Amino acid sequence: MDAPTTTSADNGTSGGGGGWFTPRNKPTPTPGNEPETPDGRRPAVIRPVGRQTADPAAPADGAAAPPASTTDGASTGAPDQERESPDAIPAPGPIAAPSTSSPAPSAPSPAASSPRHAPTTVPPAQAPFAAATAPPAEPRVSAQRPAPVSPPEPAASAPGAEASPDAILIRRAMAEVAPVADKVTSYFYALLFVRHPDLRSLFPAAMDTQRDRLLRALLTAAEHIDNTDVLVDYLQNLGRGHRKYGTRAEHYPAVGECLIGALSKYAAGVWDEEMEAAWVRTYTAISQIMIDAAAADELRAPAWWYAEIVAHDLRTPDVAVVTVRPDQPYPFLAGQYTSLETPWWPRIWRHYSFASAPRSDGLLSFHVKAVPAGWVSNALVHRARPGDIVRLGPPAGSMTVDHTTDSGLLCLGGGTGIAPIKALVEDVAEHGERRPVEVFYGARTDHDLYDIDTMLRLQQSHPWLSVRAIIDQQAHQQLPDAVRAYGPWNEYDAYLSGPPGMIRSGVDALRDIGIPSERIRHDSVEELVATGS
């Protein structure tokens, strides 16, 4: 990965010519600082991170192709469930110079596949994110702050403020393509793979559930260009997360060119030079924030960690507690989650919550439920064994405890969503606090309360902790509804983890009983909304 830059793109443009979206030149990478590709087999020892000896996204030796289709990750959005996130697509490979010529015969119609006007300069006053500079060297573990309970509104950053001219144009294009989003996505990838065929190997063999992740992230970022505080944080996390795919600064232009090509085709009714210039400025600013964040992050953390499975506890026929030992220190906060890749399905990453607070022995545990057609979850539950090697991405998520207050904690955990709730309880205990913690552990049946014994032991050890099991089939009510019968909760911070439906109904229930939105914490809201599950 290239060295970090010190400023954002000059005037919001590509920063020096040479074609659309061309990032500024970076110093030559330091030898020995590139990621290494896993070979997909069970190595005798854990290999060190930080070298590049082959394409970081190349398939593992002998790895079979994924099934033709899957629902993996589509039915669940909580980090402790197998799912995809907006950053779950590797950026494209080597860059070809932007071209206005027709693509190969097998490509989509050339008339709309190439942008019609390539702006070369942008007046400084029109550049989006004018105040966004290279991210500071913040700690590896994210700051403790509440996660938003709804996606950032597509409005100006300040209440009552008018949208910027670029934002108006961006949203006009978004409104035009919204009814045909699937076609835009398909066309985008068709352009990408025809113009840059060498990058196809960086993507999973079956893209039916992953193909729209990159485009969705780009469009989400573009739509919220005026909500600078939220958006810059989102983009920096996205840029850091993309490091595990081997993404480099020079990969971004190809994506931008094909994004413009797809939008210009399907927003043809409103597309003009002014709108195209707005998208060029916006994408350039977006990509530079991600590039700068990734470059700064490279100075203090690896792109991924290798981890050896040291314990595999099958709690039920479809739930396993998997414990791993990273090959080097892995800093995180209780309540966060990570992305995980197995050797059996290269380039497919799924998110799982840490099931404990940081431990002195450095071990990490995850609760994994095998979901139908789930590549990663089924591999971890039914195939993985001690000695197998997996890869971990960086920690993420802000569902962490604020230790600067003494507010009580109201925790709702459904299914394997109990994993981060357990970690939060341990975190409070380790800080020596005696603040009240109320845990509601939801399950469909007794059989699904696979970790209830652990939670009850914690309750016996800590008088400030109360654990209540809510079983749907016995209580004839959903977990959020059961919470209404207790309380009051106006002095509590709420934490939710579980299936998307539970989180949605839980947020509504908590708001109804008077808990303000800023005191309700959970992760992956954008993904929950995006999947519509």
Side-chain angles (χ1 to χ4, degrees):
M1 180 58 68
D2 303 308
T5 56
T6 56
T7 60
S8 296
D10 301 331
N11 298 331
T13 68
S14 59
W20 285 11
F21 318 126
T22 304
R24 295 186 301 278
N25 293 331
K26 308 282 186 177
T28 303
T30 303
N33 198 31
E34 300 300 331
E36 180 183 2
T37 304
D39 60 12
R41 297 171 294 188
R42 182 183 301 179
V45 296
I46 298 179
R47 295 161 295 175
V49 176
R51 302 183 304 277
Q52 180 169 344
T53 58
D55 182 349
D61 295 341
S69 64
T70 180
T71 58
D72 207 22
S75 63
T76 175
D80 54 291
Q81 304 276 342
E82 177 165 356
R83 64 174 180 84
E84 297 174 46
S85 64
D87 72 343
I89 286 289
I95 300 296
S99 171
T100 56
S101 60
S102 300
S106 60
S109 171
S113 64
S114 301
R116 292 169 290 184
H117 305 280
T120 55
T121 59
V122 179
Q126 298 181 13
F129 308 120
T133 58
E138 71 273 15
R140 178 67 203 176
V141 179
S142 61
Q144 299 182 16
R145 60 186 183 278
V149 298
S150 60
E153 294 295 331
S157 55
E162 294 183 359
S164 66
D166 277 359
I168 293 173
L169 292 170
I170 294 298
R171 290 166 193 153
R172 185 179 302 166
M174 294 286 292
E176 186 78 4
V177 302
V180 290
D182 289 345
K183 293 181 178 180
V184 177
T185 298
S186 297
Y187 193 84
F188 167 75
Y189 279 105
L191 288 180
L192 205 57
F193 294 158
V194 169
R195 293 183 178 182
H196 308 279
D198 51 339
L199 65 85
R200 180 60 182 88
S201 62
L202 302 182
F203 291 79
M207 292 187 60
D208 51 342
T209 59
Q210 281 194 300
R211 64 186 181 89
D212 62 341
R213 302 299 180 179
L214 173 60
L215 182 61
R216 178 184 297 158
L218 294 173
L219 297 184
T220 297
E223 183 179 2
H224 304 305
I225 61 173
D226 282 347
N227 200 342
T228 304
D229 291 342
V230 172
L231 184 56
V232 170
D233 182 68
Y234 168 75
L235 292 172
Q236 289 176 348
N237 286 330
L238 206 59
R240 288 189 287 263
H242 272 66
R243 290 184 58 214
K244 64 179 177 287
Y245 302 116
T247 305
R248 301 184 62 83
E250 60 267 25
H251 296 165
Y252 286 84
V255 176
E257 296 155 21
C258 297
L259 175 65
I260 296 293
L263 292 170
S264 64
K265 174 178 173 65
Y266 286 96
V270 297
W271 197 264
D272 56 21
E273 292 185 26
E274 187 180 10
M275 181 174 289
E276 187 167 281
W279 275 95
V280 170
R281 288 190 292 267
T282 298
Y283 180 82
T284 301
I286 286 172
S287 59
Q288 193 63 56
I289 292 173
M290 294 175 65
I291 290 167
D292 290 347
D297 190 61
E298 185 182 19
L299 299 179
R300 56 183 178 270
W304 63 71
W305 286 253
Y306 284 108
E308 178 185 6
I309 296 177
V310 297
H312 186 279
D313 179 11
L314 193 64
R315 296 289 182 86
T316 76
D318 59 356
V319 174
V321 175
V322 181
T323 303
V324 305
R325 178 186 292 113
D327 66 330
Q328 53 186 301
Y330 189 103
F332 71 98
L333 294 176
Q336 290 190 306
Y337 59 90
T338 187
S339 51
L340 189 152
E341 180 200 51
T342 71
W344 301 286
W345 302 116
R347 307 186 304 281
I348 298 178
W349 296 76
R350 294 293 184 265
H351 284 184
Y352 296 99
S353 294
F354 300 105
S356 69
R359 296 167 46 165
S360 59
D361 59 11
L363 297 181
L364 311 172
S365 292
F366 307 96
H367 294 185
V368 183
K369 179 179 176 63
V371 299
W375 302 338
V376 177
S377 64
N378 277 283
L380 289 173
V381 173
H382 301 303
R383 187 170 182 176
R385 295 293 181 270
D388 288 331
I389 303 297
V390 298
R391 285 203 298 172
L392 305 176
S398 55
M399 197 183 76
T400 55
V401 177
D402 182 358
H403 292 288
T404 65
T405 74
D406 57 1
S407 300
L409 273 63
L410 171 60
C411 302
L412 284 65
T416 52
I418 198 63
I421 301 302
K422 172 176 170 287
L424 294 177
V425 171
E426 293 179 354
D427 188 37
V428 172
E430 290 179 4
H431 279 76
E433 299 164 347
R434 299 183 63 85
R435 59 204 296 184
V437 178
E438 303 281 342
V439 174
F440 288 81
Y441 185 178
R444 290 188 177 89
T445 67
D446 287 331
H447 177 75
D448 297 319
L449 292 173
Y450 67 91
D451 209 35
I452 188 63
D453 290 343
T454 302
M455 299 305 300
L456 292 178
R457 284 195 297 270
L458 287 171
Q459 180 180 246
Q460 292 175 354
S461 302
H462 306 297
W464 41 261
L465 172 63
S466 175
V467 177
R468 297 181 178 91
I470 308 297
I471 303 173
D472 292 350
Q473 292 184 0
Q474 295 180 7
H476 303 291
Q477 62 181 171
Q478 299 294 315
L479 175 60
D481 297 326
V483 176
R484 301 175 193 266
Y486 298 88
W489 305 117
N490 54 304
E491 297 297 327
Y492 283 71
D493 292 332
Y495 296 80
L496 300 90
S497 180
M502 188 217 82
I503 293 181
R504 287 197 189 93
S505 59
V507 169
D508 291 341
L510 294 175
R511 285 173 173 169
D512 290 345
I513 59 179
I515 299 181
S517 297
E518 62 270 17
R519 301 185 73 169
I520 302 175
R521 297 173 178 171
H522 59 92
D523 285 313
S524 311
V525 179
E526 292 84 356
E527 183 65 8
L528 294 175
V529 173
T531 58
S533 54

